[in-house]
């Protein structure tokens, strides 16, 4: 059961203390308090865990500070929507707001290779009004002899260049808990010129021990990728591991499913699940057309399949696009064949902005039905 208090409830007020005292004395119930600080208001939610079946919802609703009470199912307790369409979604990190309403493009290098390419990427993003990117330093590779990413040694120049070009958030995959400390150290020594969103890759979706550690830290938000070979339900339960450990600043990313059915694409594009995730959970939803489609093939209309897939995600209401670009894809150390080119960036951004607008138009069309 979740007890949602009125926005901006003062924790020193008599009403709050009385409400808490009532809840604390409920038999066989333990409390967990979650505070979400939004741009305009602070929202406090109290999770009642344990023997909640016998509780009278009305008794709790009548307490002074209580706005409403939601009975929740066993699944995705914290991240779930539990049929309450008014539950808040999203968070603000390093001045950038992420929610189920807005939209960000995280264009960037699949993997950091040279400082020159990092700088070209960051500069182009700033020129086109972007403040987020993607950059991999720790790469999970199928083949142990493939390039594994430059690791911690590239972090200082990546962060400095991000700061130089006004990039506020970098999505960066972590494959091991020790890398979180390496990121923190590099941010510290460079004076925190940017922020990092920790990415959990599809190969680690059910690496529960990694998820617990990433969930225990609250400094960085998390971009959590759907597992490419497990059900949506299993992936959503895995995301809940992050929240159950304390970090509910999570964005859920669709990136295609491993299946022969997807050929000639690298994976079966699964962006029809965007609205499903928004219905079941409060997480903002990201789509990754690069790792879904995996090629630069284009149709006779002149539009690349990667761009079509991204558009499909946004028209269905996605809140973020994670997409590979590269200044010189033939020299890229990872995933060159699926990268978009720098001169495609302005058209891509324009197309995506139009798709998001079009989604809002679609929403209005169906609003009154
Ligand atoms: C990536 O985004 O660089 C990546 C490795 O993606 P995924 O985990 O979806 O394969
Ligand atoms: Mn990649």
């Amino acid at each position: 059961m979740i007890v949602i208090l009125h926005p901006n409830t003062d924790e020193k007020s008599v009403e709050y203390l009385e409400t808490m005292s009532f809840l604390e004395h409920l038999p066989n119930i333990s409390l967990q308090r979650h505070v979400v600080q939004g741009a305009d208001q602070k929202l406090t939610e109290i999770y009642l865990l344990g023997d909640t079946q016998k509780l009278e919802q009305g008794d709790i609703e009548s307490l002074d500070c209580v706005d409403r009470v939601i009975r929740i199912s066993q699944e995705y307790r914290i991240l779930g929507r539990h049929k309450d369409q008014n539950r808040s979604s999203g968070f603000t990190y390093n001045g950038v707001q992420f929610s189920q309403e807005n939209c960000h493009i995280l264009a960037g290098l699949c993997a950091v290779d040279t400082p020159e390419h990092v700088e070209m990427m960051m500069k182009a993003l700033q020129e086109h009004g972007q403040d987020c990117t993607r950059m991999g330093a720790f790469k999970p590779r199928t083949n142990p002899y493939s390039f594994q990413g430059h690791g911690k040694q590239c972090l200082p120049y990546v962060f400095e260049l991000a700061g130089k070009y006004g990039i506020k958030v970098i999505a960066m995959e972590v494959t091991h808990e020790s890398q979180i400390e390496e990121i923190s150290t590099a941010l510290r020594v460079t004076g925190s010129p940017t922020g990092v969103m920790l990415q959990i890759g599809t190969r680690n979706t059910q690496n529960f021990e990694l998820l617990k550690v990433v969930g225990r830290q609250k400094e960085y938000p998390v971009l959590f990728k759907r597992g490419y070979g497990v059900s949506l339900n299993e992936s959503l339960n895995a995301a809940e591991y992050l929240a159950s450990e304390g970090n509910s600043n999570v964005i859920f990313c669709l990136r295609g499913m491993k299946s022969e059915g997807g050929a000639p694409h690298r994976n079966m594009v699964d962006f029809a699940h965007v609205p499903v995730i928004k219905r079941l959970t409060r997480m903002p939803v990201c789509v990754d057309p690069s790792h879904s489609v995996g090629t630069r093939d284009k149709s006779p209309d002149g539009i690349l399949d990667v761009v079509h897939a991204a558009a499909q995600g946004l028209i269905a209401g996605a809140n973020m696009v994670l997409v590979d670009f590269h200044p010189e894809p033939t020299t890229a150390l990872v995933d060159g064949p699926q990268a978009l080119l720098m001169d495609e960036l302005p058209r891509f951004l324009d197309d995506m902005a139009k798709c998001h607008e079009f989604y809002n138009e679609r929403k209005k069309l169906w609003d009154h039905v």
Side-chain angles (χ1 to χ4, degrees), residues 82-250:
H82 308 294
K83 299 197 174 78
D84 183 310
Q85 300 313 320
N86 296 323
R87 289 194 79 198
S88 65
S89 82
F91 55 89
T92 299
Y93 172 63
N94 208 24
V96 184
Q97 202 207 345
F98 298 92
S99 76
Q100 281 193 345
E101 308 300 321
N102 66 9
C103 179
H104 294 279
I105 308 298
L106 273 70
L109 305 179
C110 176
V112 172
D113 47 17
T114 66
E116 292 72 29
H117 287 153
V118 172
E119 180 150 22
M120 285 166 85
M121 193 69 237
M122 305 278 193
K123 187 165 183 288
L125 289 169
Q126 186 185 46
E127 277 166 11
H128 294 99
Q130 301 301 298
D131 57 6
C132 299
T133 188
R134 59 154 296 147
M135 294 270 155
F138 310 99
K139 300 303 298 178
R141 304 306 302 280
T142 305
N143 184 333
Y145 306 112
S146 301
F147 171 65
Q148 305 282 310
H150 285 311
K152 67 175 175 186
Q153 62 95 4
C154 72
L155 298 180
Y157 73 74
V158 169
F159 295 160
E160 274 163 3
L161 287 167
K164 179 172 170 191
Y165 293 103
I167 301 295
K168 296 192 183 131
V169 181
I170 305 175
M172 180 173 280
E173 179 162 355
V174 287
T175 56
H176 189 273
E177 61 184 81
S178 58
Q179 293 154 2
I180 306 172
E181 190 48 43
E182 292 174 1
I183 288 170
S184 294
T185 304
L187 280 173
R188 211 166 35 244
V189 300
T190 54
S192 295
T194 187
V196 172
M197 181 177 286
L198 301 177
Q199 186 175 319
I200 300 291
T202 193
R203 291 159 188 79
N204 279 315
T205 301
Q206 289 188 311
N207 183 342
F208 300 118
E209 298 311 315
L210 177 64
L211 297 179
K212 286 185 204 166
V213 177
V214 172
R216 253 173 249 140
Q217 64 76 38
K218 293 198 192 160
E219 192 168 350
Y220 309 107
V222 186
L223 181 60
F224 177 87
K225 287 208 168 183
R226 175 184 192 169
Y228 57 24
V230 297
S231 68
L232 183 63
N233 174 271
E234 285 166 316
S235 291
L236 294 175
N237 269 299
E240 180 76 10
Y241 265 87
L242 298 162
S244 74
E245 293 289 336
N247 190 342
S248 48
N249 292 348
V250 185

Side-chain angles (χ1 to χ4, degrees), residues 346-362:
R347 267 175 297 165
F348 182 79
L349 294 172
D350 195 14
D351 191 350
M352 296 305 108
K354 288 191 165 77
C355 290
H356 182 61
E357 267 169 44
F358 187 53
Y359 165 70
N360 284 328
E361 291 299 317
R362 291 183 57 224

Side-chain angles (χ1 to χ4, degrees), residues 226 232 254 270-278 285:
R226 175 184 192 169
L232 183 63
L254 294 168
D270 55 351
F271 299 170
H273 277 167
V274 167
V276 179
I277 298 154
K278 289 171 87 172
V285 182

Side-chain angles (χ1 to χ4, degrees), residues 105-109 134 288-290 306 321-325 340 348:
I105 308 298
L106 273 70
L109 305 179
R134 59 154 296 147
D288 176 344
S290 303
V306 169
V321 179
L322 188 74
V323 57
D324 290 0
F325 271 76
L340 299 182
F348 182 79

